[in-house]
Structures are given as C-alpha cells and as structure tokens.
Amino acid sequence: MRRAVLAVLSAAALTVLAGCSTEGTPTPATTTGTTAAGQTTEPSGNSGDVPEITGPELDLSTLSSPCELLKTDQLAGRGVSEPGTERTGPAGPTCQWRPDERVDGTSFSATFLEKTNGLDGFYENRDDNPVFEPTEVAGYPAVNSDPTDAKSGTCSTAVGTAKGKGFVVQVHVNDETLPEYTNPCSVTSAIAKTIVENLKG
C-alpha cells in the first residue's frame, strides 16, 4: 500500500507542477485488499489516532457525483463558469474544475474518499507526506497534506464526514503573485468548509 501511496503522490506532484490541472489528486491508496481466495484483508499500519466524528454525520451517498459538492454560484465566485469534469481516481470519484482564466486562475478538485476508509488512509501513511497537518474544518476532523512543501501553490485538505467516509479537496494556485500561492491550504480549507456547509443543508 505504501508504494501505491507514494506513486499516487508523485503523480500528483508532477501533474500539478505542470500547471493548471489537479488531475492526480494526492490521496492514499485503498485501505482494504482481496486475497486470492476472495477474502477481504485489513491494511497494515496504525490509524488509531484518527479523530472521531463528534458532530452529526454527513451523508455523501445522497450525491450521485462529487461535482454536486459545490454550487454554480460558489464556483463562479472562484472564477469557474464551466461544469466540472468527473473521472475515476485512486481514492474514488473525482470532480475537477478548471478556471476560466487558465494562466492565472486557480484549479481545484474534490474526491469522495470511497477507497481509503475516510481519513484512515491519510493517517496510516502520514510519515510518507512531507506536510501532514491535522486540523478541523467546520467542526469536522481534517488533514492538510502535500507531497512537497504546501508553499508552492498546491495543497490537499481531507475531511472526515462520517466513520470511514469523507472527501478531499486539492488546489493548484497558478498565480505566484497571490498570497494564497504560499498558503494554498487556506484555499483548500475554505473550499472544504463550503462543501461541509452544503452537506449540512
């Protein structure tokens, strides 16, 4: 699993550093496997320090696509007028939004953490991430992470919404003159907060 995690993170770093894309969202590998006999196996590693959900659990199953996590006016406020593009990522379904201003705009994506057991996969592989910062988003446990330094326009914020459930937001700030470029986790956290508020209804 560790090799798979590192491969995903490396692919993410190469993709976002190429500019204007968040394809390859840095997410952990799946946290369960299947033996030759078809039996489900549990992952190695310790995820015992994953914070519990203390607020009402948020139901992601009511959404048919991660592209439904953000509303049209919320996207417009971030310079996006086109619908998101859904694809299948290593952690689950992903929606990617590209800004109208491709050169200086900010790209971002959101992914359902269907194959990582929520935040567990992040904690199991915390030592593989140069940046791993436990935090909270609107009262829900979260983690800011990045395969580089989280000071060069890219960051991911994963949020636990229920036991074994959650989502992750990845962002790439293209404009190096913006203060958010050296603090991209502030952008992912803000988008994640908006998503949590949407899920609360």
Side-chain angles (χ1 to χ4, degrees):
M1 181 176 67
R2 174 165 295 184
R3 288 195 297 270
V5 172
L6 291 175
V8 171
L9 290 171
S10 298
L14 290 173
T15 302
V16 297
L17 291 177
C20 300
S21 176
T22 53
E23 292 182 2
T25 302
T27 53
T30 57
T31 57
T32 58
T34 304
T35 65
Q39 296 176 323
T40 300
T41 59
E42 294 299 323
S44 59
N46 179 20
S47 60
D49 50 357
V50 179
E52 294 185 1
I53 306 293
T54 57
E57 293 190 348
L58 303 176
D59 189 4
L60 294 172
S61 67
T62 60
L63 305 178
S64 60
S65 166
C67 293
E68 297 176 12
L69 288 169
L70 291 168
K71 301 176 183 178
T72 302
D73 61 324
Q74 295 166 345
L75 294 170
R78 295 192 172 277
V80 177
S81 63
E82 297 294 327
T85 301
E86 185 175 354
R87 60 184 178 81
T88 300
T94 295
C95 186
Q96 180 174 326
W97 294 276
R98 290 187 173 89
D100 298 340
E101 180 51 63
R102 295 298 177 89
V103 176
D104 294 325
T106 295
S107 307
F108 52 95
S109 66
T111 300
F112 290 154
L113 296 177
E114 293 185 349
K115 302 176 183 179
T116 66
N117 199 25
L119 293 182
D120 285 21
F122 287 82
Y123 275 81
E124 289 166 8
N125 297 282
R126 62 190 303 172
D127 293 338
D128 296 326
N129 293 295
V131 176
F132 183 91
E133 301 170 351
T135 184
E136 283 191 357
V137 171
Y140 289 80
V143 171
N144 292 331
S145 62
D146 190 65
T148 55
D149 59 4
K151 295 180 180 178
S152 303
T154 63
C155 180
S156 296
T157 297
V159 181
T161 57
K163 184 174 178 59
K165 306 292 183 181
F167 66 88
V168 62
V169 174
Q170 183 192 10
V171 71
H172 182 227
V173 180
N174 297 318
D175 189 348
E176 297 183 13
T177 66
L178 293 176
E180 291 86 358
Y181 183 81
T182 56
N183 186 24
C185 294
S186 66
V187 182
T188 48
S189 294
I191 295 174
K193 181 180 179 181
T194 299
I195 290 175
V196 169
E197 292 172 346
N198 289 343
L199 291 171
K200 288 181 177 179

